[in-house]
Amino acid sequence: MPEITVEFARSLYRGHDAAHAFDHVLRVTRLAEHIAKTEGANVRIVRTAGLLHDMARMKPDHHLVGAARAREILADEDPTFIEAVAHCIEAHRFSVAPHPATLEAQCLMDADRLDAIGAIGVARAFAYAGGHNNRLWSRTLAEIREEVGSEPDAYRRAYAGAPDYTPAHELICKLERLAEGLHTPTARALAAGRHAFMVEFFTRLDREALGLE
Ligand code: ADP
Ligand code: NI
């Protein structure tokens, strides 16, 4: 079976919103390949999984549906390769089982997380907010932190659909913790700059929104 090309992969993605458009898939694939090379992982497995990882994004349990579709698309390949790619896809969700058990799956998950933080992460959060008619800003990080309390995942599940859930809420509920959970040293090094920039952006946003800067 020939390699999964970018053009073939692109044809699998239709109707995704700006935060999940095929551009996200390409960024994640590039990052995942870079991490894989540096970490000594199997680059072909990681690249194939990167290109296919979000193809079932519109379905519930898209990681499982995506892994099943990947098995069909790759049916002529060596079974070990197929299962390695399928595992990367089924284990790429942040907080949903199964967890990544191979170095290749860890490379993909780290790349997917990196694409949710830094300047890109900020852009995606605002694109999401714009697409869902959420407000750009409603209150300060300190106020949000107090309101969210000690169960950010539960808060996000309950309120992420409401218009008052802003990108700063997304920072407190999810984005600011992504850098901590990375698996590979290569991704952790990339995350440091992204994380610092993202926090600086939201800190400045508070000051501008309050008319202080
Ligand atoms: P995934 O399972 O890929 O993490 P999500 O939809 O949770 O899917 O997140 C995808 C991207 O959209 C992330 O960059 C995330 O920060 C952003 N996002 C998701 N929900 C919101 C929201 N309610 N407000 C702002 N950004 C959001
Ligand atoms: Ni993704």
Side-chain angles (χ1 to χ4, degrees), residues 114-193:
L114 283 171
D115 200 55
I117 62 176
I120 282 285
V122 171
R124 289 180 78 197
F126 280 92
Y128 187 101
H132 291 77
N133 293 321
N134 288 358
R135 298 171 69 190
L136 295 181
W137 187 90
S138 62
R139 39 199 170 278
T140 63
L141 296 176
E143 286 164 339
I144 294 171
R145 214 178 282 289
E146 180 152 342
E147 181 183 319
V148 166
S150 59
E151 303 273 2
D153 289 330
Y155 184 95
R156 189 173 185 265
R157 272 195 300 278
Y159 295 109
D164 253 13
Y165 186 95
T166 64
H169 289 77
E170 182 73 352
L171 175 79
I172 304 289
C173 290
K174 175 170 167 178
L175 306 184
E176 72 176 5
R177 284 174 299 133
L178 292 182
E180 288 164 15
L182 295 169
H183 298 88
T184 63
T186 307
R188 280 199 287 276
L190 290 169

Side-chain angles (χ1 to χ4, degrees), residues 76-95:
D76 296 340
E77 291 279 351
D78 176 67
T80 320
F81 177 78
I82 300 173
E83 281 320 300
V85 172
H87 176 68
C88 292
I89 297 172
E90 74 191 4
H92 87 271
R93 300 283 297 283
F94 301 163
S95 48

Side-chain angles (χ1 to χ4, degrees), residues 35-36 39-42 46 88 100-108 183-184:
I35 297 168
E39 297 289 330
N42 182 312
V46 171
C88 292
T102 61
L103 179 58
E104 286 73 23
Q106 293 176 348
C107 293
L108 179 62
H183 298 88
T184 63

Side-chain angles (χ1 to χ4, degrees), residues 1 4 8 12 48-49 52-53 55-56 61-91 98:
M1 158 105 187
I4 299 294
F8 174 76
L12 302 170
T48 307
L52 300 180
H53 84 276
M55 65 181 155
D61 287 335
H62 77 269
H63 54 304
L64 303 180
V65 179
R69 279 202 206 153
R71 287 191 182 94
E72 289 167 21
I73 291 170
L74 301 170
D76 296 340
E77 291 279 351
D78 176 67
T80 320
F81 177 78
I82 300 173
E83 281 320 300
V85 172
H87 176 68
C88 292
I89 297 172
E90 74 191 4

